[in-house]
Amino acid sequence: MTVRVQAEDFDVGAEIDALTRDRHTIGGVTAFVGLVREIAGGDAVSAMTLEHYPGMTERQLEAIEAEARRRWPLDDVLLVHRYGRLEPGDRIVLVLTASAHRQAAFESCHFLIDWLKTKAPFWKREETPQGDRWVEAKDSDDTAAARWAENPVWPGG
Amino acid sequence: MTVRVQAEDFDVGAEIDALTRDRHTIGGVTAFVGLVREIAGGDAVSAMTLEHYPGMTERQLEAIEAEARRRWPLDDVLLVHRYGRLEPGDRIVLVLTASAHRQAAFESCHFLIDWLKTKAPFWKREETPQGDRWVEAKDSDDTAAARWAENPVWPGG
Amino acid sequence: MKVLYFAWLRTRIGVAQEVVEPPAEVTTVGGLVEWLKTRGPTYASALANTKVVKVAVNQEYVPYDHPVGPGDEVALFPPVTGG
Amino acid sequence: MKVLYFAWLRTRIGVAQEVVEPPAEVTTVGGLVEWLKTRGPTYASALANTKVVKVAVNQEYVPYDHPVGPGDEVALFPPVTGG
């Protein structure tokens, strides 16, 4: 189990290698890499800054990682989320899930990123030609996360 | 659009970098890496050999890649599938999908690997303590692929 | 009691964190938010719409009826927008 | 007509590919498979259960009623097991 919240970039290939090395029960790894887009809400974005809540952010990521492991048979999970100022094309977040079975790897990876978007304590500020602005939460993200709810009480929510 | 059928290993990090470099419309990349497991059907597997149909295999992979691009708004797709003799822990297959939106990247990646398992012309032979054996097709793979059918006629099937 | 503010709550109130001593009647998150609004116009304005003010006590998400006390770390922030 | 065999069809028949000249009555995939079975006991045995014999003509999957002719490349193989 690994959760990292860091300013530094990450190396996707190296992380997958570290997760799978000499572990021959793993049949599949699903990875999701989130990247900064140059357009958001129709406006050009020259950069964004991610703020987090040191301590709580790591705790919440650890809690959801434990939840994913409870729901799916996973060999390993890695969550890496950056904070600070990022430019278009920069990597923001990495989710890796490893399992004997691809279905478990896919579903748990999708679950984790949908959760990160709606429940992880991060806040985005975008730099646009119209000035800086805080990004508002999207209803579509809540909808995406809601489909994973097993019952009305969402973990951590 | 890229499809490769090769004996050589691939570098997941380098492939993701190549797919995303200087393309700032991409918001997310989903990757699936399939690995050789040391256990299959309850037996120890010391190695496996993947046979393919040169020409047809590439054609079929290109057809399904075009189908994924028709169904989802994708910035890019990469399919790499190895053939030849592989040992536990070795990489077998890589599927990368890149999109502005993570839902499209996830669904198309899952669709492609489910399809590869059931329709791509590859055949596996496993080396076990009981001798060599050809792997039989799994009903669970057909079930996984069937959920993507838009109508009773499956592409390439 | 330590109170932390994040994102536009931080920039609008102009404070990242502060130590406050609310009166003894303040025993819940909801009570604390109402009391904070009385501390000045920037507080009243930033906290006016509590639909977009989420709360954590001791680094766990909580509802407005959750108890708060002197030793707690309380954080106020807008809906999250990570990933 | 070129015929290719893959996986256990190849190992059981003992041939990877061959050029055959079936009689003129053979006009479909199904007819070709039935004719191949008459070529010897290894063919008859390997092709006995056509449920597990899939067919491609000119590198496209086809059903058993698909036409075949002299210039075609026909491949016979078990259900695929890649990925």
Side-chain angles (χ1 to χ4, degrees), chain A residues 51-56 59-60 81 117-124 134-137 156, chain C residues 4-8 10-11 56 58-61 73-75 77-83:
Chain A
E51 181 173 334
H52 75 301
Y53 180 174
M56 178 171 176
R59 270 174 85 141
Q60 293 295 319
H81 202 304
K117 288 269 180 182
T118 51
K119 298 289 177 181
F122 288 98
W123 300 274
K124 266 183 203 158
W134 289 99
V135 176
E136 287 185 31
Chain C
L4 313 179
Y5 306 94
F6 291 95
W8 54 256
R10 175 176 55 73
T11 50
N58 299 327
Q59 305 191 350
E60 296 288 345
Y61 291 104
E73 173 178 306
V74 181
F77 44 78
V80 304
T81 53

Side-chain angles (χ1 to χ4, degrees), chain B residues 65-145:
Chain B
E65 189 185 322
E67 176 66 15
R69 286 167 172 277
R70 188 183 70 75
R71 293 195 191 193
W72 288 278
L74 300 176
D75 286 88
D76 213 339
V77 178
L78 175 69
L79 300 180
V80 184
H81 203 303
R82 296 176 71 187
Y83 61 85
R85 189 168 181 279
L86 300 171
E87 296 183 351
D90 283 351
R91 283 173 279 266
I92 306 170
V93 59
L94 173 65
V95 180
L96 293 185
T97 55
S99 177
H101 305 289
R102 70 184 184 284
Q103 183 83 3
F106 262 102
E107 289 187 2
S108 56
C109 188
H110 203 165
F111 163 81
L112 285 164
I113 188 66
D114 280 351
W115 182 88
L116 282 168
K117 288 270 181 183
T118 51
K119 298 289 177 182
F122 288 99
W123 300 273
K124 265 183 203 157
R125 187 171 174 80
E126 292 172 344
E127 300 170 27
T128 78
Q130 288 76 44
D132 290 9
R133 66 180 180 204
W134 289 100
V135 176
E136 286 184 33
K138 279 194 282 187
D139 287 345
S140 62
D141 285 331
D142 285 335
T143 307

